[in-house]
Amino acid sequence: MVWIPGGTFLMGSDHHYPEEAPAHRVSVDGFWMDATTVTNRDFAHFVKATGYITLAERPADPADYPGARPELLAASSILFRKPSAPVDMSNHYNWWHYVAGADWRHPRGPASSIRGLMDHPVVHVALEDVAAYAHWACKALPTEAEWEFAARGGLDGREFVWGDDLTPNGKYMANTWQGEFPYRNTREDGFEYTSPVRAFPPNGYGLYDMAGNVWQWTADWYGDHGTRHRSCCTVANPRGGAAEESFDPNAPGMRIPRRVTKGGSHLCAPNYCRRYRPAARMAQPIDTAISHLGFRCIKRPAPKAEAMP
């Protein structure tokens, strides 16, 4: 783990996607953070020690999803499949598919395995899976503010984790998508899917993959920055909204809470999802596992005992 010293920074952005605004001053206390996302090797140790079975490896309970088609209740996860030609970009089902047998052991579908991918980030993990791992490791998930502060690596207000140039001196600094998403990836950064967790340079705090590769779960319920951060003063150690306020307003029939995820992934592309930036954020339903989402953990220092009078 790497010590993140804490401090004050400008969280969010007024110049990109609307859910990142408004930019606002935030302070966080110091904490320890995993230098990399949790890898397949790390997660395999956890599973071997505990016998844990992930959500994607269990059939869904029909009572939790009334009216769902039976094939969608099988043990499955959401998998990216690249179309062979341009598609309607307004319909994400053109590249996202529920696939039976896709899970952390089979990250690209039931015929795949993690052989040769032990140093890649674990994926297909839902919130309850990452919470179980964190509990076993005596760690926690970072808040959105802690994650974003750490991602910036001391470069307050910069667009990317490493500065303001996406490819300084022509060098790719993260695993992202080059070409036309979702059907043509030129792989100029060397990778089609996930990459080993130390394949790209660390940020100023020594943290790897704080941009690209896989999205990362946080501890905060999703909510608009604009409804939570209107103070004229610096907000100290902020937390997200309430679970019941995190539901997707565009899907009123789905009462599934959502958490904030950060960092972007290998599927983020300039023509579709320019979210490989520290300010970027996405809402993820807590019951959903997917092929480009992982996590890392933190440890906060124990509170100092008050001196006896």
Side-chain angles (χ1 to χ4, degrees):
M1 302 189 84
V2 175
W3 174 247
I4 309 301
T8 300
F9 74 109
L10 189 65
M11 183 175 180
S13 171
D14 295 325
H15 307 294
H16 295 93
Y17 294 100
E19 69 271 11
E20 301 169 21
H24 52 285
R25 302 300 297 180
V26 164
S27 68
V28 296
D29 297 334
F31 55 94
W32 294 92
M33 189 174 226
D34 289 343
T36 72
T37 51
V38 173
T39 64
N40 287 316
R41 177 178 286 105
D42 298 328
F43 203 77
H45 289 323
F46 158 63
V47 169
K48 183 178 181 179
T50 63
Y52 186 81
I53 300 173
T54 63
L55 189 66
E57 297 172 282
R58 298 175 242 150
D61 184 346
D64 293 334
Y65 303 95
R69 300 199 307 271
E71 63 269 24
L72 297 181
L73 299 175
S76 59
S77 188
I78 299 177
L79 185 66
F80 172 80
R81 284 180 170 167
K82 186 169 64 173
S84 60
V87 294
D88 178 4
M89 297 291 284
S90 67
N91 182 6
H92 62 265
Y93 292 110
N94 282 323
W95 55 86
W96 288 121
H97 303 271
Y98 278 100
V99 177
D103 55 49
W104 77 273
R105 302 177 193 270
H106 308 93
R108 297 171 195 163
S112 68
S113 77
I114 55 173
R115 183 176 300 171
L117 302 177
M118 298 306 286
D119 292 324
H120 287 233
V122 66
V123 292
H124 296 294
V125 283
L127 180 65
E128 66 181 74
D129 306 325
V130 306
Y133 178 96
H135 177 77
W136 171 78
C138 299
K139 297 179 182 180
L141 288 177
T143 66
E144 181 181 6
E146 288 170 331
W147 194 99
E148 186 169 331
F149 178 84
R152 293 184 178 278
L155 299 179
D156 191 19
R158 298 295 184 91
E159 184 168 1
F160 303 109
V161 169
W162 50 84
D164 290 322
D165 186 354
L166 177 60
T167 53
N169 298 316
K171 182 178 181 180
Y172 285 94
M173 302 294 288
N175 181 4
T176 60
W177 184 288
Q178 297 85 52
E180 293 296 315
F181 182 87
Y183 73 97
R184 186 176 69 90
N185 187 349
T186 59
R187 294 180 288 177
E188 294 166 47
D189 60 9
F191 298 97
E192 177 82 19
Y193 300 104
T194 60
S195 53
V197 293
R198 296 177 187 267
F200 293 88
N203 75 354
Y205 289 144
L207 301 170
Y208 294 84
D209 287 344
M210 297 303 278
N213 212 5
V214 293
W215 285 93
Q216 299 171 40
W217 285 101
T218 74
D220 283 2
W221 298 111
Y222 185 84
D224 291 336
H225 279 334
T227 61
R228 300 203 317 270
H229 300 293
R230 296 188 181 277
S231 173
C232 63
C233 307
T234 299
V235 181
N237 297 310
R239 296 300 305 263
E244 60 271 15
E245 297 173 352
S246 69
F247 304 130
D248 186 351
N250 297 314
M254 291 181 58
R255 306 294 287 174
I256 300 172
R258 300 179 300 166
R259 287 281 182 95
V260 176
T261 60
K262 299 284 283 183
S265 81
H266 61 282
L267 300 179
C268 284
N271 73 306
Y272 181 70
C273 178
R274 202 169 182 272
R275 289 188 168 91
Y276 32 73
R277 298 171 291 100
R281 58 204 301 263
M282 288 282 282
Q284 182 73 12
I286 64 171
D287 67 341
T288 301
I290 195 166
S291 62
H292 72 334
L293 173 61
F295 71 107
R296 75 178 73 214
C297 296
I298 67 166
K299 273 191 174 184
R300 301 181 183 94
K304 294 181 179 179
E306 294 185 7
M308 296 294 291

